[in-house]
Amino acid sequence: EVQLVESGGGLAQAGGSLRLSCTASGFTFDDSVIAWFRQPPGKEREELSCTSSGDGGTYYENSVKGRFTISSDNARNTIDLRMNSLKPEDTAVYYCAVSLGRSSCLSLTSSEFDYWGQGTQVTVSS
């Protein structure tokens, strides 16, 4: 059974940092694409970052490029999202998700992700 469990959310000051972790089970990273999404209050869910073992590629949405870093640890089965220089507009529920049998992040839409975690709240105060 595929499971994704996020952790590491909480309250941060603007300009601060948080590290989110997604602990995965039930699949191998070798044949999958893993992404972080977020859904701000009252807004649509958006993809922030994606990593794929197949082509070694990563993707960042423009608003987080240079501030957020995605990394995977195959030995620990975790995918982390390091978030620096946080802004109040980063306040959202953050989700990790996996698309199985994929080798590249390119052109994937949220509907093509097969499993999702339960989400973790990040609140950034000004």
Side-chain angles (χ1 to χ4, degrees):
E1 180 186 5
V2 174
Q3 285 192 324
L4 299 167
V5 179
E6 301 96 337
S7 61
L11 179 64
Q13 298 262 341
S17 298
L18 282 174
R19 186 179 70 184
L20 306 182
S21 288
C22 176
T23 302
S25 61
F27 66 96
T28 61
F29 287 11
D30 291 344
D31 192 25
S32 60
V33 166
I34 302 168
W36 282 94
F37 292 77
R38 71 183 177 191
Q39 186 164 19
K43 295 185 178 180
E44 296 290 317
R45 184 171 57 196
E46 61 178 344
E47 183 177 358
L48 301 176
S49 183
C50 175
T51 183
S52 54
S53 295
D55 62 1
T58 56
Y59 156 83
Y60 294 96
E61 195 273 331
N62 282 339
S63 68
V64 304
K65 198 174 293 183
R67 299 191 299 125
F68 290 11
T69 303
I70 193 169
S71 61
S72 63
D73 185 331
N74 288 14
R76 294 172 54 233
N77 286 345
T78 57
I79 307 93
D80 289 352
L81 185 69
R82 178 69 180 179
M83 307 186 294
N84 296 325
S85 302
L86 285 165
K87 305 175 181 179
E89 51 263 44
D90 293 319
T91 295
V93 179
Y94 285 69
Y95 301 89
C96 62
V98 61
S99 182
L100 300 176
R102 306 277 186 175
S103 60
S104 174
C105 289
L106 295 178
S107 302
L108 284 182
T109 64
S110 61
S111 63
E112 294 172 291
F113 284 83
D114 305 294
Y115 296 91
W116 295 76
Q118 82 288 349
T120 186
Q121 176 70 45
V122 171
T123 302
V124 183
S125 62
S126 57

Coordinates of all heavy atoms in Angstrom, one line a residue, residues 4-7 9 20 36-37 92-96 116-122:
L4 N 2.0 8.2 2.0 CA 2.8 9.4 2.0 C 2.4 10.2 3.3 O 1.2 10.5 3.5 CB 2.6 10.3 0.8 CG 2.9 9.7 -0.6 CD1 2.4 10.6 -1.7 CD2 4.4 9.6 -0.7
V5 N 3.4 10.5 4.1 CA 3.1 11.2 5.4 C 4.0 12.5 5.5 O 5.2 12.3 5.5 CB 3.3 10.3 6.6 CG1 3.0 11.1 7.9 CG2 2.4 9.1 6.5
E6 N 3.3 13.6 5.5 CA 4.1 14.9 5.6 C 4.3 15.2 7.1 O 3.5 14.9 7.9 CB 3.4 16.1 4.9 CG 3.1 15.9 3.5 CD 1.7 15.4 3.2 OE1 1.1 14.7 4.1 OE2 1.2 15.6 2.1
S7 N 5.4 15.9 7.3 CA 5.7 16.4 8.7 C 6.5 17.7 8.5 O 7.1 18.0 7.4 CB 6.4 15.4 9.5 OG 7.6 15.0 8.9
G9 N 5.6 20.9 9.3 CA 4.9 22.2 9.2 C 4.8 22.9 10.5 O 5.2 22.4 11.5
L20 N 10.1 20.7 5.4 CA 9.0 19.7 5.4 C 9.6 18.4 4.9 O 10.5 18.4 4.1 CB 7.9 20.2 4.4 CG 7.3 21.5 4.6 CD1 6.2 21.8 3.6 CD2 6.8 21.7 6.0
W36 N 5.9 18.4 -4.5 CA 5.2 19.1 -3.4 C 4.3 20.1 -4.0 O 4.6 20.8 -5.0 CB 6.3 19.9 -2.6 CG 7.0 19.0 -1.6 CD1 8.2 18.4 -1.8 CD2 6.6 18.7 -0.3 NE1 8.6 17.7 -0.7 CE2 7.6 17.8 0.3 CE3 5.5 19.0 0.5 CZ2 7.5 17.3 1.6 CZ3 5.4 18.4 1.8 CH2 6.4 17.6 2.3
F37 N 3.1 20.1 -3.4 CA 2.0 21.1 -3.8 C 1.7 21.9 -2.6 O 2.0 21.5 -1.4 CB 0.8 20.3 -4.3 CG 0.9 19.6 -5.6 CD1 1.6 18.4 -5.7 CD2 0.3 20.1 -6.7 CE1 1.7 17.7 -6.9 CE2 0.4 19.5 -7.9 CZ 1.1 18.3 -8.0
A92 N -0.1 28.1 3.7 CA -0.9 27.2 2.9 C -0.8 25.8 3.6 O 0.0 25.6 4.5 CB -0.3 27.0 1.5
V93 N -1.6 24.9 3.1 CA -1.5 23.5 3.5 C -0.6 22.9 2.4 O -0.8 23.1 1.2 CB -2.8 22.7 3.5 CG1 -2.6 21.3 3.8 CG2 -3.7 23.4 4.6
Y94 N 0.5 22.2 2.8 CA 1.5 21.7 1.9 C 1.3 20.1 1.8 O 1.1 19.5 2.8 CB 2.9 22.0 2.4 CG 3.3 23.4 2.1 CD1 2.7 24.5 2.8 CD2 4.2 23.7 1.1 CE1 3.0 25.8 2.5 CE2 4.6 25.1 0.9 CZ 4.0 26.1 1.6 OH 4.3 27.4 1.3
Y95 N 1.3 19.6 0.6 CA 1.1 18.2 0.3 C 2.2 17.7 -0.5 O 2.7 18.3 -1.4 CB -0.2 18.0 -0.5 CG -1.5 18.5 0.1 CD1 -1.9 19.8 -0.1 CD2 -2.3 17.7 0.9 CE1 -3.1 20.3 0.4 CE2 -3.4 18.1 1.4 CZ -3.8 19.4 1.2 OH -5.0 19.9 1.7
C96 N 2.6 16.4 -0.3 CA 3.5 15.7 -1.2 C 2.6 14.7 -1.9 O 1.5 14.3 -1.5 CB 4.6 15.0 -0.5 SG 4.2 13.7 0.7
W116 N -1.6 10.9 -2.6 CA -1.3 12.2 -1.9 C -1.2 12.0 -0.4 O -1.9 11.1 0.2 CB -2.5 13.2 -2.1 CG -2.6 13.6 -3.6 CD1 -3.1 12.8 -4.6 CD2 -2.2 14.8 -4.1 NE1 -3.1 13.5 -5.8 CE2 -2.5 14.7 -5.5 CE3 -1.6 16.0 -3.6 CZ2 -2.3 15.8 -6.4 CZ3 -1.4 17.0 -4.5 CH2 -1.7 16.9 -5.9
G117 N -0.4 12.8 0.3 CA -0.4 12.8 1.7 C -1.5 13.6 2.3 O -2.3 14.1 1.5
Q118 N -1.6 13.6 3.6 CA -2.8 14.3 4.2 C -2.6 15.8 4.4 O -3.5 16.5 4.6 CB -3.0 13.7 5.6 CG -2.1 14.2 6.7 CD -0.7 13.8 6.6 OE1 -0.3 12.9 5.9 NE2 0.2 14.4 7.5
G119 N -1.4 16.2 4.1 CA -1.1 17.7 4.2 C -0.5 18.1 5.5 O -0.8 17.5 6.6
T120 N 0.2 19.2 5.5 CA 0.7 19.8 6.7 C 0.6 21.3 6.6 O 0.9 21.9 5.5 CB 2.2 19.4 7.0 OG1 2.6 19.9 8.3 CG2 3.2 19.8 6.0
Q121 N 0.2 22.0 7.7 CA -0.1 23.4 7.6 C 1.2 24.2 7.8 O 2.0 23.9 8.8 CB -1.1 23.8 8.7 CG -1.4 25.3 8.8 CD -2.1 25.8 7.6 OE1 -3.1 25.2 7.2 NE2 -1.7 27.0 7.1
V122 N 1.4 25.2 7.0 CA 2.5 26.1 7.2 C 1.9 27.5 7.3 O 1.1 27.9 6.4 CB 3.5 26.1 6.0 CG1 4.5 27.2 6.1 CG2 4.2 24.7 6.0

